[in-house]
Structures are given as C-alpha cells and as structure tokens.
Amino acid sequence: MDLDSSPVFIREKNEELEKLRADQSNLENGNTAFVRFDSQTEAHAFARLISSTSKSRRLIETGVELVPEDVQWSNISMNAYQRKVRTAISWGLTVGLIIIWAIPVAFVGAVSNVDTLCVKAPWLAWVCELPPAALGIIKGVLPPALLAVLFMLLPIFLRLLVRLQGEVRRSQIELKLFSRFWLFQVIHGFLIITFSSGLISALSNLGGTASAVPTMLADRLPNASIFFLTFILVSTFTAAAKAYSRAIPTIMLGVQRILPGGTPRKAFLQRYKMDQFMWATTWPPIALLICISIVYSVIQPVMTLLTLVAFIFLYAAHKYLLYWTADQPDSLETGGLFYIRALRTVFVALYLEGVCLAGLFFLSSDENNKRSTTGLACGAIMVSGVGAPAIHLANSAGRHDCHCSRTADLHRLVPVQEGLPRLRPLLDDCQAQLVQDWL
C-alpha cells in the first residue's frame, strides 16, 4: 500500500478539504473551475456559450467529459494571457526545431543517393568502390533506419513543448502533439527528403547551368520514390512483425516477474493491465505513409501495388492489437477527435499530390525543348482543382465545431453543488444566450 491509497492519508486530506470548503469566500480566486451539472445538455450548453456571452470572456476555454486522470494539474493555475504567451513561445521553439531538424533529415535524403554523390565529391570516392551488396545496404536500409530513429526521438521534445503552453487536459496535449508531429512528418519525412533526393540526383547532370535546376529536379524527382518505397516496406513489415511477435511486451513481462512492483497493486497492474495506444504518436507515421503512397502513386505507379500489400499487413496487425491486447483509458478519450485529424491528413496528401502534378506539368517541355502549352494548361487546371476545394474546406471547417445543438432543451444552467456563487453570473448569461439562440 502506497501513500495515495492509504486510508489514513485519504482521511486527512478529506478533513483538510472540508475545512477549506467551509470558508470558500475568503479563498483566492483561481484560473480553473470544475463544475458539475444536472445533465449533459446543460454542461454542453455552458461550454459552448460561455465565451460568447461577453467580450471579457472570449479567452475562456472550456471542456466537457472530464475525468481526474485527464487533468494536467501543474497547468491549472495559469490564466488565459499566460497560456497565449506560452503558446507563442512553444510554437516559436517548434519552428526552430523544424529548422534544426532539417539538417539530419537532409543528410538522410543525401545518403539515399550516395552513389551519385560520391561521383561529385572526391572525398566520398571510396563509397563507389564498395561491393554492390554493401552499397545497396547503405542506399536502401540505412536511410530508412536513420529516419525512423530521428522520428522516434522527436515526440519526446514535442510533448514537452505542448505541455509548456499550459494545456489543462492531457487529452488536449495529445491532440495538439498529433498536429505538430504530423507537421514534422510531412515537412521532414516527405518534402525535405523528396527535394534533397531529387536535387542530389540532378547534380550529376547540372553542368553549372543554374536555370536548368527546376527541369532537372522534375526529371529526377521519381528517383526519390526508391527511398520512399523502401521506407514504406520497412516501416509496415517491421510494425506488423513487432505486433504479431509481441517480443517487447514478453521481455518486459519477464523482467517484471524478476523485479516486481513495490506494492501488490502495482504488481497486479504490471502483469494484467492492457496496453494502450498513444494515438498522438501512432497516427502521424501512418498518415505519412498514406501521404507518400498517394503522392507517388502518380509519379511512380508501381508503388500503388506494393503499398497495398504493405498496408494489408499493417491493417491486420493493428486489428489484432486493438481486438486482443489494447485498451483505451478514460484519460485519453477524445470522442473521436483523433480520427477527424487523421482524416484531414488524407486531404493534405491529396493537396500535395495536386501541387506535385501541377509542378510537373508546368516544368514539362515539348519536342522543341520549350515549355509545353498543354502542360501549362494542365498545370493551371490542377492549381484550380486544388485551390477551390482547399478554400471551401478552410471556410467551412469551423462551422461544425459546436458542443450542442441550438435546439437544446432550455433547462436551468445550475450546478449540482450550490456553493459556487462566483459562477452564478456566468450561468445566468449562458442561460440568456441559450434562449436567444433558440429563438
């Protein structure tokens, strides 16, 4: 029995809480309030309307369906202005990390074309003298392995940056980590690798003509598909093999039998507690594989069939894990918001596919080595086909982010616990706003 589960400790804390509740009016106002309502309708109505009742309350952030394990207790004392400043600092550090992380990722892209690079760089001439098998390992196996290690370390730093900005709920930290991790994945795992691989391939035929860089880059861009094809196969087959073998959990179970927990409860949890998916770090790598498959399906069509087989293995592995070995704790429950964000990454992949096709069309040449009129027309069509849906979806994205219907029942917005006089004006304003919306 540890300190948190001790009856004596719990009784002492309950007595302290009763003393504090008896004199609430003299306590210093905090920046976070937990309110219980008679029904979910009232809770959702309050959460939706509180920020629209007054200009001074626009910075108030609300949430529903909260459990104690979901609270990041170290952040509840921050006010709205502190969170805004911390969010700006957090995003600034994230942008700086994106710039710094581009250096090792670009190196990985250059390694995938090391045979071309060793011709242009005399100090790498020894690489070209290696046996074909060794050169194939350096080009095909080493870059995906290095990229996987880089992306494995990244979420540790990103989660600290998101927690820095003062999010109250752990689930919100994970949701925002999803967005930033996906941003890193699409920038470093796709864009930088694509351009660094294509540029290295184009260097051998550049010949000192700077104006030929765009055309040569377009001609050599499909060469990057070899790296991405290897990356997808290695990632999916490795993930499937790890899921089916359950090697890591089996080893950890053996270690835990030798070194059990300090209490019977911990020993029981170590042995029988089911695994849980950290969706903020599970979804973005899969979304990156989908993005690569969609974009390169038109640049290198053979990738479509191979990625189909790879995703079948990955789907079967995750289905097995979700059915038999994994559970979703209440502290990480978001009501399906991870799925919505993952679905939006598919649209990002379609937009990138349209941009790549438009670029290839614009850079295409006719038999006279001039810009093709047909290519320019097709490029303009692709730009309009990508731009119009993107603008429409951007304008309509915020219209469906509401917590309840406008035809909600007009119950009294009164909390269950009546000892909250400071919340009474907020509740009255929300009730008036709800009546106005209903009318």
Side-chain angles (χ1 to χ4, degrees):
M1 182 179 297
D2 56 10
L3 186 62
D4 294 337
S5 60
S6 171
V8 177
F9 176 80
I10 295 175
R11 185 173 63 253
E12 292 176 353
K13 291 301 178 182
N14 285 335
E15 293 175 356
E16 293 180 9
L17 288 174
E18 292 298 332
K19 293 179 181 179
L20 294 175
R21 287 169 180 165
D23 194 16
Q24 292 186 54
S25 58
N26 294 328
L27 296 177
E28 182 181 356
N29 290 338
N31 296 305
T32 303
F34 299 93
V35 186
R36 295 181 61 190
F37 292 87
D38 290 330
S39 67
Q40 283 191 338
T41 302
E42 297 174 358
H44 283 262
F46 179 83
R48 180 173 68 91
L49 298 172
I50 183 62
S51 60
S52 60
T53 55
S54 174
K55 292 182 178 180
S56 60
R57 298 168 187 162
R58 289 181 178 177
L59 295 179
I60 294 179
E61 297 182 1
T62 58
V64 292
E65 312 295 340
L66 182 67
V67 294
E69 294 81 9
D70 192 21
V71 179
Q72 184 68 34
W73 297 102
S74 59
N75 291 339
I76 63 174
S77 61
M78 300 180 192
N79 58 42
Y81 296 100
Q82 288 177 321
R83 291 193 177 97
K84 292 294 181 182
V85 174
R86 283 172 170 262
T87 300
I89 296 174
S90 176
W91 271 107
L93 294 176
T94 301
V95 173
L97 192 60
I98 290 176
I99 297 174
I100 295 174
W101 219 263
I103 299 174
V105 173
F107 171 76
V108 171
V111 170
S112 65
N113 283 281
V114 68
D115 54 345
T116 303
L117 192 61
C118 68
V119 175
K120 304 298 295 184
W123 58 278
L124 289 175
W126 62 273
V127 177
C128 296
E129 300 175 358
L130 294 175
L135 189 60
I137 293 175
I138 294 175
K139 289 180 56 180
V141 179
L142 187 59
L146 293 176
L147 192 63
V149 172
L150 289 175
F151 284 151
M152 190 184 303
L153 299 174
L154 191 58
I156 300 174
F157 301 103
L158 291 180
R159 185 175 278 108
L160 292 176
L161 293 179
V162 176
R163 192 178 302 164
L164 173 68
Q165 66 188 46
E167 293 297 329
V168 177
R169 303 182 64 170
R170 297 180 187 273
S171 56
Q172 288 296 322
I173 293 176
E174 295 299 311
L175 283 170
K176 295 188 177 181
L177 173 62
F178 177 99
S179 301
R180 299 198 189 188
F181 193 28
W182 159 245
L183 181 64
F184 263 87
Q185 292 272 346
V186 75
I187 291 177
H188 293 297
F190 175 72
L191 296 177
I192 293 181
I193 290 292
T194 297
F195 288 109
S196 61
S197 299
L199 187 60
I200 292 298
S201 299
L203 286 176
S204 60
N205 298 326
L206 187 58
T209 307
S211 61
V213 170
T215 303
M216 290 185 179
L217 186 60
D219 294 336
R220 297 290 180 174
L221 195 59
N223 290 344
S225 63
I226 300 174
F227 165 79
F228 285 125
L229 180 59
T230 308
F231 176 67
I232 290 176
L233 295 178
V234 170
S235 300
T236 52
F237 289 166
T238 302
K242 184 173 67 174
Y244 286 127
S245 66
R246 302 286 294 164
I248 296 178
T250 303
I251 295 174
M252 294 302 298
L253 181 61
V255 173
Q256 290 166 1
R257 287 180 177 178
I258 300 174
L259 303 173
T263 63
R265 176 177 295 158
K266 289 183 178 179
F268 176 84
L269 291 177
Q270 289 174 355
R271 183 174 179 84
Y272 295 104
K273 185 179 180 181
M274 300 182 71
D275 295 338
Q276 61 187 39
F277 274 95
M278 302 302 294
W279 295 112
T281 55
T282 302
W283 272 114
I286 298 176
L288 174 64
L289 300 180
I290 295 174
C291 177
I292 295 171
S293 302
I294 291 176
V295 174
Y296 275 89
S297 63
V298 294
I299 298 177
Q300 199 69 276
V302 70
M303 183 177 287
T304 305
L305 180 60
L306 296 176
T307 53
L308 175 62
V309 177
F311 276 107
I312 289 175
F313 281 102
L314 194 62
Y315 166 77
H318 279 80
K319 185 177 181 180
Y320 166 76
L321 291 177
L322 291 172
Y323 272 12
W324 302 108
T325 68
D327 189 18
Q328 179 72 12
D330 293 336
S331 59
L332 296 178
E333 183 59 53
T334 61
L337 294 180
F338 276 115
Y339 173 74
I340 295 175
R341 297 190 180 220
L343 194 61
R344 287 174 179 171
T345 62
V346 178
F347 287 94
V348 175
L350 293 174
Y351 297 149
L352 290 175
E353 179 187 23
V355 171
C356 289
L357 283 176
L360 293 176
F361 280 133
F362 283 135
L363 295 174
S364 61
S365 304
D366 55 14
E367 62 276 4
N368 298 322
N369 203 21
K370 296 181 180 180
R371 289 288 176 263
S372 173
T373 306
T374 305
L376 295 176
C378 292
I381 294 174
M382 290 302 303
V383 170
S384 61
V386 170
I391 294 174
H392 171 71
L393 291 176
N395 291 333
S396 61
R399 298 178 184 176
H400 307 288
D401 296 336
C402 61
H403 296 282
C404 65
S405 173
R406 287 182 177 271
T407 59
D409 295 335
L410 297 180
H411 297 300
R412 291 184 306 114
L413 296 176
V414 181
V416 172
Q417 299 183 12
E418 296 293 342
L420 298 173
R422 287 190 290 266
L423 289 177
R424 179 61 56 190
L426 303 183
L427 298 171
D428 294 338
D429 291 344
C430 283
Q431 184 177 6
Q433 183 67 35
L434 183 59
V435 173
Q436 181 180 356
D437 289 349
W438 183 77
L439 295 175

